[in-house]
Amino acid sequence: MIAARAVHHLGIAVRSLDAHRDHYERVLGARFEGVEEVPEQGVRVAFYAVGPADAPVRLELLEPTRADSAVARFLDARGEGLHHVAFTVDDVEARLAALKAGGVRLIDEAPRPGSHDARIAFLHPKATGGVLTELYEPTRGPGADGG
Ligand code: CO
């Protein structure tokens, strides 16, 4: 029902984007793709790409900009680390409707704005084997070509 076309990115919660840049660029050797603020989610995100340029795996580092954002609460409860897995989908609204009809527990009943103007929605980790799952419908930027 998710009909995932690809893994779009892995979301990693951090307290500071700057503090981790050396690790991702120099130690891991990932390609830095830029930083963007997503006010609706109370985060600044940095994207890194690993692997072939035409089909990379992306890492999305999330730094909270508000103490009441979901990522800030995650950091307070769990500390830094893997936060979610995002799957590329074609039509996030249709996916949400199908999942809801199938009894899958959702966090977002309607799409909201994500990075790069993507339309995103989260499923509840209790419905996905403990992994916070993001549906990501790209409109431009990384993954808009299907990656
Ligand atoms: Co994400």
Side-chain angles (χ1 to χ4, degrees), residues 11-14 17 43-45 60-64 71 83-84:
I12 299 167
V14 299
L17 297 181
V43 292
R44 283 202 319 142
V45 300
E60 177 190 67
L61 270 62
L62 304 133
E63 173 195 88
V71 171
H83 180 259
H84 65 267

Side-chain angles (χ1 to χ4, degrees), residues 9-11 41 47 60 62 84-86 115 120 122 134 136:
H9 62 264
L10 305 178
Q41 293 180 57
F47 270 100
E60 177 190 67
L62 304 133
H84 65 267
V85 178
S115 59
I120 69 167
F122 285 94
E134 176 182 357
Y136 191 99

